[in-house]
């Protein structure tokens, strides 16, 4: 007989207790989440499965999961690196596994580690082994369910949201967080975000350009910014929108009006940061910085009927939710310059905070 915590009682010998524990043994695995500068995830095509995989594999006897992750990256990609940050620990039950009966799958604890964001130079150094790994590619997060098995896709997206949320390693059961964050609850990254990989230009747009949007980086006093999440798709947007006739051609007025309509947000005087221009070169999308002074009760956007989920997030976290390409880093630099002009401190890394109720600063 054992106690409730399954520790050995005086009725069990060490050998009997060891046999009992061995009978409950689990597999252990490790995988590594690697992204590029565009936020795309590295996946591998292998010669023994029809679906893609993250780098990783089984933990060997007497090997730690972190050591296994580093070894697998070295063996599969030819890259030597230190693995020291976990994103998710997943309990994979026998019932949820697709393993064939002959394997007598007992369940698995699989740890997803953070492989970081790789530069173009490091990506160019990838060397594949002569067998097993046939190709690698970086794919948008929304494509993971298309390429990975359902369980692997759930786990990878959960790990990616854990990285963005910056709240520490999350515990999963069959790929689903035990305690979901707002990013998990809304399925952030499951839907492709609008693509705005347009060149960044500081300052005002040329007069011949049509202003198509005025969006704002709305700063709370702690340096985080307001981001709106669509509850239906999980896509993220900054406050702002399209100019209307009542704005009388003033883009700053557009921003203030749209922030009020979409998020019940009141902003201070907007500071123009710059703009991006579309590929045709005839439309400009303006970006402002402004102090966020208060939020009223959440309500539907009159233009779309959507009641956005409002969150506070660091600017760095925010850029991972948009598809802005390389120009996104240039805009982020301008955002911090604007933040400094507004006298607002840089936000410390921290988890995403949902704002369901009115707030005044």
């Amino acid at each position: 007989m054992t106690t409730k915590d399954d520790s050995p009682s005086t009725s069990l010998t060490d050998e009997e207790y060891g046999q009992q524990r061995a009978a409950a043994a689990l597999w252990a695995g490790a995988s590594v989440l690697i992204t590029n500068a565009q936020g795309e995830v590295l996946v591998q095509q292998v010669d023994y499965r029809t679906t893609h995989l993250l780098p990783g594999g089984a933990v060997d006897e007497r090997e730690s999961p972190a050591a296994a992750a580093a070894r697998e990256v070295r063996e599969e990609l030819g890259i030597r690196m230190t693995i020291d940050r976990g994103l998710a620990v997943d309990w994979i039950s026998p019932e949820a596994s697709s393993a064939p009966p002959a394997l007598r799958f007992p369940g698995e604890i699989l740890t997803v580690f953070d492989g970081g964001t790789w530069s173009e130079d490091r990506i160019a150094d990838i060397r594949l082994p002569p067998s097993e790994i046939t190709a690698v590619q970086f794919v948008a997060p929304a494509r993971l369910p298309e390429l990975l098995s359902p369980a692997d896709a759930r786990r990878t997206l959960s790990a990616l949201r854990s990285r963005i949320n910056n709240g520490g390693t999350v515990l999963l059961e069959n790929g689903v967080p035990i305690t979901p964050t707002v990013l998990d609850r809304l399925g952030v990254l499951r839907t492709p975000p609008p693509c705005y990989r347009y060149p960044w230009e500081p300052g005002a747009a040329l007069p011949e350009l049509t202003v198509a949007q005025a969006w704002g980086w709305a700063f709370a006093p702690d340096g985080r910014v307001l981001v709106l999440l669509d509850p239906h798709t999980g896509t993220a947007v900054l406050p702002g929108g399209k100019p209307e006739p009542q704005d009388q051609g003033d883009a700053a007025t557009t921003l203030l009006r749209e922030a009020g309509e979409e998020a019940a947000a009141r902003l201070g005087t907007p500071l123009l940061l710059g703009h991006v221009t579309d590929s045709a070169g005839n439309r400009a999308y303006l970006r402002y910085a402004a102090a966020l002074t208060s939020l009223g009760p959440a309500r539907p956007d009159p233009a779309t009927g959507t009641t956005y989920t409002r969150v506070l997030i660091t600017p760095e976290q925010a850029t991972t939710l948009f598809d802005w390409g390389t120009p996104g880093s240039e805009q982020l630099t301008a955002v911090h310059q604007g933040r400094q002009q507004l006298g607002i401190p840089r936000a410390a890394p921290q988890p995403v905070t949902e704002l369901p109720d009115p707030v005044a600063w």
Side-chain angles (χ1 to χ4, degrees), residues 139-194:
V139 301
R143 290 196 61 204
L144 293 173
E146 164 195 341
L147 298 173
L148 278 60
S149 72
D152 288 346
R154 287 195 304 270
R155 182 184 312 111
T156 303
L157 284 170
S158 293
L160 186 55
R161 293 178 192 125
S162 171
R163 180 207 267 187
I164 294 170
N165 188 60
N166 199 45
T169 306
V170 298
L171 299 180
L172 312 177
E173 290 185 356
N174 298 320
V176 179
I178 295 175
T179 306
T181 67
V182 62
L183 303 182
D184 298 309
R185 195 178 76 246
L186 299 185
V188 168
L189 301 177
R190 63 185 166 87
T191 302

Side-chain angles (χ1 to χ4, degrees), residues 200 202-203 216-220 223-225 269-274 287-292 315 330-346:
W200 170 254
W217 292 86
F219 283 95
R224 290 185 292 171
V225 294
T269 302
L271 171 67
L272 180 63
L273 301 176
R287 301 287 189 271
Y288 289 86
L292 176 62
E330 299 173 3
Q331 185 173 165
L332 184 60
T333 297
V335 168
H336 282 299
Q337 292 171 346
R339 172 187 57 75
Q340 291 176 319
Q341 291 184 55
L342 293 171
I344 295 173
R346 190 184 189 108

